[in-house]
Amino acid sequence: MGFSLFSAKNRIINLVLNDHSIRFLELKQTNPPIAQKWSERFLPPGIIVDGKIVDSDSLANILEQCIEEWKIQRRSLRFIVPDPLVIIRKVSIPSDVQEDEIKGFLYLELGSTIHLPFEEPVFDFHRLTNNGKTQDVLLFAAPEQFVMEYVKLFSSLKLESVAADISPLSMYRLYHLNRSNEKEVLFTVQFDLTSVNLCIFDGSVPMVMRQFALPFNIEDWDIKLGLSGVIEFIYKGASEELVIQFEDIFKEINKLVDYYRFSLSNEKQDVTKFLVNGDHPMLKAIYDEMKERFEVPVEMLSLPADEKTKGSIPTNHLLSLGLALKEVQ
């Protein structure tokens, strides 16, 4: 799963861009691979908005500085398609459509029987069930225009895009490293400074995803680069504002749990675990609150046991690490 736009290359760097940051991580090519280098850069508001590049000149200038500082000139890269651009949708197609014909069939049906909120998507799919008359497939789609703006920007800076991914899959990939294949319904919560991504996995398949923007006023935060090289955000605004934001997200979590239970699984399955990650400065408090509110277990995404002794990767780089493991495992 992912977006099959590109071919594979070696010595790949991994970039995660969102509305407020650029993050870079590189693996050391050992067996198993381990994180070798990572860094990040704060993005001022207005350069990327809701995952879309708004000020391409400023972003290009900042990326150019990062490339020089991080010494990643002329490298191949993977990147995560920003969450606000991605749609996951289950669609039914005739059962006799063969696997190698599905992509072409979906392309022909887009805009007629399959409706998306944008034209000219880049997409991939994952087969689900086949009852003999119809088969269900999961459609992963994003507007090609906005995805290609990132690809063209990277190319203009001599970085070649070779793979794209979505954040829940990167999060799941790291979570599942060195774990058994026990059947579970995992609800991932990516709680970042300016957005929240919610996704429910049935086994290894992301069945539904929702994205929510969080209000962000830069004047309410002190932002500095810590001694460890991690950007630190200290909130100085009214605490009630954050409480309201968190309450709204908890309500959306409950809605999505109910949607999965009653609409997707027909009351046959429930969410069995929450997995929390993100770069929000209050992430530990969010995690603690979720443990109080929800009856199912809540787990914080962390490094695999054999990785913890090899370097202290900051929590906000775990998504980058999950991306780096794409096509490595």
Side-chain angles (χ1 to χ4, degrees):
M1 286 175 282
F3 294 101
S4 50
L5 285 171
F6 317 106
S7 58
K9 292 290 179 67
N10 295 322
R11 296 191 71 236
I12 301 174
I13 61 169
N14 304 277
L15 288 183
V16 177
L17 289 82
N18 54 36
D19 288 12
H20 61 277
S21 69
I22 304 172
R23 296 197 175 99
F24 145 76
L25 184 139
E26 182 177 0
L27 286 182
K28 185 176 183 181
Q29 297 302 316
T30 58
N31 190 13
I34 60 174
Q36 182 178 35
K37 293 168 29 180
W38 56 85
S39 193
E40 68 179 322
R41 175 75 174 264
F42 175 69
L43 279 182
I47 294 178
I48 298 177
V49 178
D50 294 333
K52 300 172 185 175
I53 299 173
V54 174
D55 187 344
S56 57
D57 290 340
S58 294
L59 184 57
N61 289 335
I62 293 172
L63 265 173
E64 194 168 23
Q65 296 169 17
C66 292
I67 290 168
E68 183 175 354
E69 179 183 339
W70 300 339
K71 296 180 172 53
I72 54 173
Q73 293 89 343
R74 298 181 180 277
R75 300 287 292 277
S76 300
L77 70 87
R78 300 183 190 92
F79 70 99
I80 286 182
V81 177
D83 293 331
L85 303 181
V86 179
I87 284 179
I88 298 176
R89 181 168 295 175
K90 185 167 75 170
V91 297
S92 293
I93 64 174
S95 62
D96 58 356
V97 180
Q98 300 301 308
E99 183 166 12
D100 60 354
E101 300 171 341
I102 291 178
K103 197 154 194 175
F105 180 88
L106 293 172
Y107 183 81
L108 291 174
E109 294 301 310
L110 287 170
S112 56
T113 63
I114 301 173
H115 298 283
L116 298 174
F118 43 79
E119 297 180 353
E120 299 184 6
V122 55
F123 65 91
D124 206 345
F125 69 92
H126 177 78
R127 297 177 79 181
L128 296 173
T129 57
N130 189 327
N131 64 16
K133 294 182 179 179
T134 61
Q135 57 180 316
D136 289 336
V137 299
L138 271 185
L139 180 66
F140 303 84
E144 184 176 26
Q145 171 193 348
F146 298 122
V147 175
M148 293 309 296
E149 283 181 5
Y150 284 95
V151 175
K152 292 174 183 176
L153 173 61
F154 298 145
S155 179
S156 72
L157 298 171
K158 305 296 190 294
L159 299 176
E160 181 187 7
S161 304
V162 296
D165 203 10
I166 61 176
S167 63
L169 284 175
S170 290
M171 191 171 170
Y172 182 86
R173 192 177 297 117
L174 180 59
Y175 163 77
H176 208 263
L177 194 66
N178 298 334
R179 288 178 184 261
S180 61
N181 292 318
E182 73 271 14
K183 178 70 172 178
E184 63 181 356
V185 179
L186 185 72
F187 192 135
T188 62
V189 180
Q190 179 77 20
F191 217 118
D192 290 329
L193 183 68
T194 56
S195 65
V196 179
N197 180 279
L198 309 178
C199 186
I200 298 180
F201 284 80
D202 189 342
S204 62
V205 180
M207 298 297 295
V208 59
M209 186 177 81
R210 297 286 186 270
Q211 167 76 18
F212 303 94
L214 293 178
F216 177 73
N217 184 350
I218 194 170
E219 295 179 357
D220 290 338
W221 297 86
D222 281 330
I223 304 169
K224 63 180 182 178
L225 190 65
L227 296 177
S228 62
V230 176
I231 299 172
E232 297 177 357
F233 296 88
I234 301 171
Y235 189 67
K236 59 182 182 180
S239 59
E240 295 82 4
E241 293 296 323
L242 288 185
V243 171
I244 292 171
Q245 291 180 25
F246 298 165
E247 285 291 342
D248 288 343
I249 296 301
F250 293 144
K251 289 177 183 176
E252 296 297 340
I253 290 173
N254 276 317
K255 288 180 185 177
L256 200 56
V257 168
D258 288 342
Y259 174 72
Y260 176 81
R261 177 187 299 131
F262 298 115
S263 297
L264 291 183
S265 74
N266 296 318
E267 300 187 56
K268 295 177 182 177
Q269 294 187 105
D270 283 327
V271 168
T272 57
K273 183 188 289 184
F274 288 102
L275 180 66
V276 181
N277 185 45
D279 64 27
H280 200 285
M282 312 297 187
L283 190 65
K284 180 61 166 61
I286 293 165
Y287 165 74
D288 290 340
E289 183 66 21
M290 288 183 63
K291 288 177 68 176
E292 289 290 326
R293 285 176 179 249
F294 299 104
E295 295 181 357
V296 299
V298 182
E299 181 177 325
M300 190 86 82
L301 184 66
S302 61
L303 289 172
D306 62 350
E307 183 82 27
K308 291 178 181 177
T309 59
K310 299 173 184 175
S312 53
I313 300 175
T315 301
N316 56 5
H317 282 280
L318 292 180
L319 190 63
S320 309
L321 180 58
L323 172 63
L325 295 173
K326 181 178 173 66
E327 299 159 5
V328 171
Q329 295 176 312

